[in-house]
Amino acid sequence: MEGNLQGPLHSNTLFRENKYLSENQNPLEILPDKLEKVEIPYFRQKPVMLTVDGFSLFFKEINKLEYWISEQHTGSSFLVQWIEIKDSKPQPFHRKLSNRNGLDIENKKRDSSLVKHLFKKVEIEKNEILDYLEEVGVYVSDNRLLLAPFAKTIGKEDDLKRSEPEEEISEEQMSAMVKLLERPDLLSFIDQALYERKPESGFIIGEIESKHVLNFNCVGARLGVATINTLKGASSIGKTNTANIVTGLHRTKKVGSLSDTALKYAKDMDNIDVLYIQETCEDEFKTKETRLMSDDDEGFIAETTIKNPETNEFEVQRTVIPVKTLVTTTTAMELDPEFATRNFIIPVDDSEEQTKRIIEENFKTTEKKLQERNNKTKFNHKYDQLKEAFTILKEYDVLIPFESDLFEIFPTSNPQTRRDSKKLIKLISCSALLFQYQRCRSESDDENFLVASWVDLVHALVLGAPILEATLTGFDKRLLDTLPVINNLIDDDGYVTTNSLAKKIKRSSRYAWQILKFFEDNGFIYHDIDTKTKYGIKGKAKVYIKSEAEKYENLLLLIGNIDWPNIRNKEEDFIKKQIPNSSHQVSDVIYLPKYDQKKSNKVVYNPYHVQSKEFGIYSNTRNTVAKTENTNPEILIEKNRIKNNDKHIKQATNAKIDYKNLTVLESAILSELVNFIKHTYKSIIDVLKPKYSEVDIYQTLVDMEHRGWIE
């Protein structure tokens, strides 16, 4: 709004800063001239700011900043938020809180959130804020009709007395939803729900990590955890399909582009949790006209550069987008650094195996329609059940008993990991919130919290490993697959150029240039003029050789030493100490996915005991046992029979590797082979033997060579 609040409160002059917002967006919107005769009530010696659908009441002034509480009525609910006014310009600084009752009806959860928001902003004493809210409640109760004199003008009539109660959930419905959320194999149900959909509505098959991590974060959006998620990969590989189906389970607003979001779509964000920008083009990351910046758990702030028509000068317009989570897709090879550091980079599976699954499924459309016609299949039934069940999830503060252990496994060499470490915490929290009916919870008038489980850490590290790895390194599968090719070209030819890489991988020169630019920007290769001169290469072509400074490390290798039974015991001890009266039993079992061609959705979720060897991640205990076994004389004799210890090995150029089902040791070996270092059997064993037994490493190398993965 633009204008002077010292004048009449019924001026129709607007602040320029909010001129693009709708009428119901601005809680301090000024009334039109025709309502000039309305009596203006006062509260705390300040006139109440009346709007056509609500009001704002003064609290106090601190350092020339005024703080007001605003209530807006939207038919079936009331929206409440704090407002900060500086130089007569209002600025909401947190998302609106929705409730079926207004400020005249006490709501401990809402009031607790209001206290937390304002205390965090200006550190006013919490008791003072609570006393103010109680004073506001009494005042609003006594003056409800006086505070909303224009309700009939806008056709709401009796709405202001009390909004219609929302549809009540029956005991039977509630029991069914709770039972669903209590399933220990809940991830399996989610997988089936995303698959068993009408063919024309889209379905997800495979994409284990990407769909679950995105869903974790969308659940977190509903329950107070803010994230930005970018599904990244080549064109036409299912990014949009995955985003559409997963976000469809949640309160989502879908928009078309990044650049005009702040101006066009801020008007109806109050009752949604996820903003889904369908496609973010590579060029949009380079333009600075609009920048989306995370505001932690209070939503996002969009800064847009606009030209003031009166002054002909450019100025920055700030718009609060009160959603918890942002989802977008992109084909960009490399994201804008400022945007990328706030992101969960979610690579989409473009493997040949995944392509085969999708094509096979596409040719089952008629079969599926006949199944539905004969009542053998209820498409979308599980999807709708899941969507309903998510509505009963509650917001909790998540406590993580094993936080100190995370420091030992998280890489510290890159300063960016300071922010990325928070992403790991968020992913653990989102898993705990989704599985809250299976976690230890404590609820009281003052606070509600739940205890994250070792299972949530597994979800974050095992299901989230490809996402965290892509987030930490910026790598996606296109880059991982091309790195050994670049390595081989440099070994064979002495250098690599855009043309030589494009010819080798049979892609366009622009594609090859993007790949090389990424690795140059990240210090893996560099343009060497001496090499260009040595080989007599003419023109503007860049000639790259490898740098020894950078070394790619697989995240799974870094987490290979977690002592999972110990993590599980820490959870149990934490509950006994912090919630002594709790009857919660810590689980010993986790359900983890594995591809299975016999299943209709190609995935099976098997139970694994925390101490089982099949668990999928080597614990410290297992590594210790493996090292002890090396003292066996028979093994030492067998070790001496190993041939070709000095034979150079590398990842096979055209290897068909199933990246989704790699063991941790196979992943560690491949991580070493993609680096710009020449390896032999012996050097691989020397690098990995501090974590794995030498015999296991050798046997795995032999097996990988037999499968054609290395040569």
Side-chain angles (χ1 to χ4, degrees):
M1 295 185 297
E2 182 176 42
N4 189 347
L5 291 183
Q6 304 303 318
L9 289 176
H10 34 36
S11 167
N12 62 359
T13 308
L14 300 178
F15 283 97
R16 179 178 298 108
E17 183 169 355
N18 291 305
K19 66 181 180 179
Y20 292 99
L21 303 185
S22 67
E23 291 182 356
N24 62 9
Q25 172 71 17
N26 189 351
L28 297 181
E29 184 161 351
I30 308 305
L31 302 177
D33 287 335
K34 66 179 182 179
L35 302 173
E36 202 166 310
K37 296 182 180 180
V38 173
E39 177 184 355
I40 303 297
Y42 277 71
F43 179 76
R44 288 198 168 191
Q45 289 78 50
K46 286 271 191 177
V48 176
M49 294 187 179
L50 297 175
T51 72
V52 292
D53 55 2
F55 57 85
S56 296
L57 303 175
F58 175 71
F59 179 19
K60 67 185 305 181
E61 181 178 340
I62 301 176
N63 298 326
K64 297 183 179 180
L65 296 174
E66 291 186 357
Y67 293 92
W68 297 63
I69 191 76
S70 167
E71 178 190 286
Q72 179 186 353
H73 188 230
T74 60
S76 62
S77 64
F78 290 85
L79 303 173
V80 178
Q81 71 177 154
W82 293 108
I83 303 294
E84 179 184 81
I85 298 180
K86 180 180 181 181
D87 299 329
S88 301
K89 294 184 178 181
Q91 175 63 56
F93 55 83
H94 73 94
R95 74 197 308 255
K96 297 177 182 179
L97 304 177
S98 177
N99 194 266
R100 68 175 59 184
N101 296 316
L103 288 167
D104 51 334
I105 305 297
E106 183 182 14
N107 183 289
K108 291 184 178 180
K109 183 178 178 181
R110 178 201 64 201
D111 293 347
S112 176
S113 295
L114 287 170
V115 170
K116 183 176 73 172
H117 284 309
L118 190 59
F119 177 76
K120 182 180 177 182
K121 177 74 174 179
V122 292
E123 296 189 0
I124 301 174
E125 289 296 327
K126 292 184 178 180
N127 288 337
E128 182 181 355
I129 303 173
L130 282 171
D131 291 343
Y132 167 75
L133 292 176
E134 184 175 349
E135 181 184 349
V136 166
V138 173
Y139 178 82
V140 174
S141 179
D142 293 341
N143 298 277
R144 170 58 75 184
L145 293 179
L146 182 62
L147 294 175
F150 316 117
K152 293 184 180 180
T153 305
I154 59 176
K156 291 186 179 177
E157 298 183 351
D158 204 35
D159 275 354
L160 290 160
K161 294 181 181 178
R162 182 66 52 86
S163 59
E164 289 295 324
E166 299 175 5
E167 183 179 351
E168 295 292 335
I169 300 174
S170 68
E171 290 186 11
E172 184 179 357
Q173 288 175 312
M174 176 63 77
S175 176
M177 289 188 281
V178 170
K179 187 176 180 180
L180 192 161
L181 295 171
E182 287 178 339
R183 291 180 55 152
D185 63 341
L186 178 57
L187 292 183
S188 177
F189 186 91
I190 293 173
D191 199 300
Q192 295 169 29
L194 299 178
Y195 167 73
E196 295 176 6
R197 289 167 46 84
K198 291 185 177 182
E200 61 270 21
S201 301
F203 59 88
I204 301 177
I205 187 169
E207 296 292 357
I208 293 174
E209 294 88 354
S210 59
K211 67 189 175 190
H212 283 310
V213 170
L214 181 59
N215 184 59
F216 283 147
N217 287 344
C218 287
V219 168
R222 185 188 294 265
L223 304 173
V225 182
T227 59
I228 305 178
N229 304 267
T230 299
L231 282 80
K232 182 170 176 272
S235 179
S236 303
I237 63 169
K239 303 182 300 297
T240 300
N241 179 69
T242 300
N244 281 340
I245 296 172
V246 174
T247 59
L249 290 168
H250 308 275
R251 303 192 307 174
T252 301
K253 172 69 177 178
K254 186 187 295 185
V255 298
S257 65
L258 172 67
S259 58
D260 58 1
T261 300
L263 301 180
K264 287 186 178 179
Y265 299 103
K267 61 185 179 182
D268 56 354
M269 297 291 181
D270 298 317
N271 292 311
I272 67 156
D273 303 307
V274 179
L275 175 63
Y276 171 27
I277 302 172
Q278 290 173 271
E279 179 74 21
T280 302
C281 299
E282 190 166 4
D283 290 340
E284 287 179 326
F285 286 113
K286 298 174 183 177
T287 64
K288 299 299 182 182
E289 291 182 1
T290 299
R291 297 172 58 201
L292 281 171
M293 298 179 297
S294 173
D295 193 19
D296 295 326
D297 293 340
E298 313 305 336
F300 298 92
I301 296 174
E303 287 191 346
T304 305
T305 302
I306 61 171
K307 191 173 184 179
N308 187 321
E310 296 179 3
T311 64
N312 280 331
E313 294 181 358
F314 287 95
E315 56 189 44
V316 174
Q317 174 177 285
R318 290 167 62 90
T319 304
V320 175
I321 301 178
V323 295
K324 291 293 186 183
T325 284
L326 175 70
V327 175
T328 189
T329 65
T330 185
T331 58
M333 195 75 69
E334 187 170 14
L335 306 183
D336 174 71
E338 294 181 10
F339 185 72
T341 56
R342 296 178 170 88
N343 249 284
F344 278 87
I345 308 298
I346 303 179
V348 180
D349 186 1
D350 64 351
S351 67
E352 184 177 343
E353 292 81 4
Q354 177 66 3
T355 301
K356 181 179 178 181
R357 294 183 198 111
I358 294 172
I359 293 176
E360 181 183 353
E361 204 65 29
N362 287 340
F363 288 135
K364 292 182 179 179
T365 301
T366 300
E367 178 186 338
K368 290 181 177 180
K369 289 182 177 179
L370 290 174
Q371 289 176 349
E372 183 179 30
R373 184 179 180 183
N374 297 325
N375 296 320
K376 293 182 179 179
T377 301
K378 287 185 177 181
F379 288 121
N380 294 351
H381 179 63
K382 290 180 179 178
Y383 189 85
D384 293 338
Q385 284 183 305
L386 194 62
K387 190 171 184 177
E388 290 178 0
F390 283 167
T391 64
I392 67 170
L393 293 173
K394 297 180 181 179
E395 186 172 341
Y396 290 91
D397 286 330
V398 179
L399 306 180
I400 302 177
F402 37 79
E403 271 187 331
S404 59
D405 296 84
L406 304 182
F407 176 77
E408 300 298 327
I409 65 167
F410 213 78
T412 57
S413 57
N414 186 347
Q416 181 183 318
T417 59
R418 300 173 187 177
R419 179 174 283 166
D420 290 330
S421 60
K422 294 182 180 179
K423 293 173 186 171
L424 177 59
I425 295 296
K426 286 188 174 185
L427 203 49
I428 294 169
S429 299
C430 289
S431 171
L433 289 168
L434 173 59
F435 282 80
Q436 61 184 242
Y437 282 90
Q438 303 175 45
R439 300 292 177 260
C440 180
R441 293 172 288 166
S442 177
E443 300 184 8
S444 65
D445 292 340
D446 297 328
E447 59 180 350
N448 297 333
F449 65 85
L450 63 80
V451 179
S453 170
W454 68 274
V455 173
D456 301 310
L457 180 58
V458 177
H459 289 162
L461 290 179
V462 176
L463 293 177
I467 285 81
L468 289 172
E469 188 171 342
T471 300
L472 286 167
T473 64
F475 279 45
D476 61 25
K477 189 174 181 295
R478 294 171 293 178
L479 297 164
L480 280 173
D481 287 346
T482 312
L483 186 54
V485 178
I486 296 172
N487 185 18
N488 292 340
L489 283 171
I490 295 175
D491 285 342
D492 295 341
D493 302 338
Y495 63 90
V496 63
T497 64
T498 297
N499 288 337
S500 65
L501 178 61
K503 183 178 179 180
K504 188 69 175 179
I505 62 178
K506 299 179 181 179
R507 299 296 295 266
S508 69
S509 294
R510 174 172 173 76
Y511 183 90
W513 173 81
Q514 288 177 311
I515 295 280
L516 291 174
K517 184 178 184 301
F518 175 88
F519 287 120
E520 180 185 21
D521 291 345
N522 288 275
F524 285 81
I525 57 177
Y526 66 95
H527 172 50
D528 186 59
I529 297 177
D530 292 338
T531 301
K532 183 175 182 178
T533 303
K534 175 182 176 181
Y535 287 95
I537 299 173
K538 307 296 183 181
K540 297 181 179 180
K542 282 190 172 183
V543 175
Y544 296 100
I545 63 175
K546 54 192 174 184
S547 168
E548 300 295 340
E550 287 294 332
K551 183 175 183 294
Y552 173 75
E553 288 187 326
N554 186 283
L555 180 62
L556 284 176
L557 182 60
L558 296 173
I559 65 176
N561 280 336
I562 295 180
D563 186 345
W564 290 105
N566 181 54
I567 295 290
R568 182 248 180 239
N569 292 338
K570 283 192 173 184
E571 176 191 349
E572 190 171 61
D573 294 342
F574 183 89
I575 293 171
K576 288 179 180 179
K577 182 177 180 180
Q578 301 298 330
I579 316 173
N581 297 325
S582 173
S583 59
H584 178 79
Q585 297 294 316
V586 176
S587 174
D588 291 320
V589 176
I590 183 173
Y591 282 77
L592 288 176
K594 182 179 181 181
Y595 282 108
D596 185 345
Q597 294 300 318
K598 297 178 181 178
K599 298 294 182 179
S600 57
N601 60 336
K602 309 303 181 189
V603 182
V604 62
Y605 288 74
N606 293 319
Y608 296 92
H609 193 277
V610 65
Q611 294 183 343
S612 69
K613 290 184 178 180
E614 296 77 19
F615 187 25
I617 293 181
Y618 295 155
S619 67
N620 277 332
T621 303
R622 182 178 177 190
N623 285 327
T624 302
V625 172
K627 290 176 184 178
T628 303
E629 291 174 348
N630 285 339
T631 60
N632 187 313
E634 292 181 6
I635 293 179
L636 291 174
I637 293 172
E638 182 64 28
K639 236 179 72 173
N640 291 329
R641 294 177 183 174
I642 294 176
K643 298 178 180 180
N644 299 323
N645 263 4
D646 296 325
K647 181 177 72 175
H648 285 286
I649 57 172
K650 62 182 180 179
Q651 181 177 323
T653 304
N654 297 316
K656 295 181 179 180
I657 299 173
D658 184 4
Y659 287 98
K660 294 293 183 179
N661 289 313
L662 292 177
T663 67
V664 176
L665 185 48
E666 289 170 347
S667 182
I669 291 171
L670 290 174
S671 296
E672 288 299 323
L673 292 179
V674 299
N675 289 303
F676 294 131
I677 299 173
K678 289 185 178 181
H679 270 300
T680 63
Y681 268 61
K682 184 177 184 303
S683 66
I684 287 285
I685 292 172
D686 288 342
V687 170
L688 298 180
K689 67 183 181 183
K691 297 180 181 293
Y692 309 99
S693 78
E694 295 181 37
V695 172
D696 283 347
I697 299 170
Y698 176 74
Q699 290 175 341
T700 302
L701 284 167
V702 171
D703 183 53
M704 292 172 72
E705 187 171 3
H706 287 162
R707 280 181 279 174
W709 291 7
I710 61 177
E711 58 187 15

